[in-house]
Amino acid sequence: PLPSIIACNTSISKSLSPIINQSMHQNNDNNINTKGVKAGGDRQELHEAIRLHSMDAGKVVKGEGKSNDLLERIAKDPLFVAVHDKLDTLVDPKLFIGRAREQTEEFLEEEIDPILEMEKGLLGKEVVDGVNV
């Protein structure tokens, strides 16, 4: 059972990866556009440039099966020269996860740890089907 669960999880991760990457790129677009405007760029001109780069990058991903090269396109575009040296920091995934790590830790401490403590007598016992916990 465990190998099939792992295989299923890997399969799900692979199928969700493009969706997650696309979502991250949309968040990155907003960040890059905002920083470009703060550096003196025209909001609509930058937005249109990102839109065109996004469409071209999408064609490469969907039509050729290659990875998303949106950031490389932006890095080469002179309209974004003010943020070229900041692209790595603008697209850091940590900027988009909010309190996810802290919330997970709180959930484990407040909800799961008490259950594990309460049921610790069951941990390590052999189950009928031979799987150990």
Side-chain angles (χ1 to χ4, degrees):
L2 187 58
S4 63
I5 292 171
I6 292 170
C8 178
N9 190 25
T10 302
S11 174
I12 291 170
S13 295
K14 287 180 182 177
S15 64
L16 289 178
S17 185
I19 296 167
I20 292 168
N21 285 339
Q22 183 61 35
S23 174
M24 287 302 298
H25 281 297
Q26 289 169 354
N27 287 324
N28 293 338
D29 297 351
N30 293 331
N31 237 9
I32 293 166
N33 197 23
T34 301
K35 293 295 183 185
V37 170
K38 286 182 180 178
D42 178 83
R43 183 184 64 81
Q44 289 189 326
E45 185 178 25
L46 294 174
H47 175 78
E48 180 64 10
I50 289 175
R51 187 184 74 79
L52 293 173
H53 287 312
S54 293
M55 287 175 38
D56 291 341
K59 288 177 188 172
V60 169
V61 171
K62 294 171 188 166
E64 301 173 28
K66 295 182 181 175
S67 60
N68 192 326
D69 65 349
L70 176 61
L71 295 178
E72 290 83 6
R73 292 171 185 274
I74 291 171
K76 293 176 185 172
D77 189 328
L79 285 174
F80 297 95
V81 70
V83 296
H84 283 171
D85 62 337
K86 299 177 184 95
L87 281 176
D88 287 342
T89 59
L90 294 175
V91 299
D92 184 353
K94 292 177 187 172
L95 296 173
F96 309 105
I97 62 169
R99 291 192 63 246
R101 180 181 180 145
E102 292 85 358
Q103 288 172 326
T104 301
E105 290 171 354
E106 289 169 8
F107 175 76
L108 291 173
E109 289 172 8
E110 295 171 11
E111 303 293 332
I112 303 302
D113 287 349
I115 294 170
L116 291 174
E117 181 61 30
M118 188 171 53
E119 302 294 343
K120 67 182 174 185
L122 297 175
L123 296 175
K125 288 189 176 182
E126 190 170 328
V127 182
V128 176
D129 67 1
V131 176
N132 290 319
V133 180

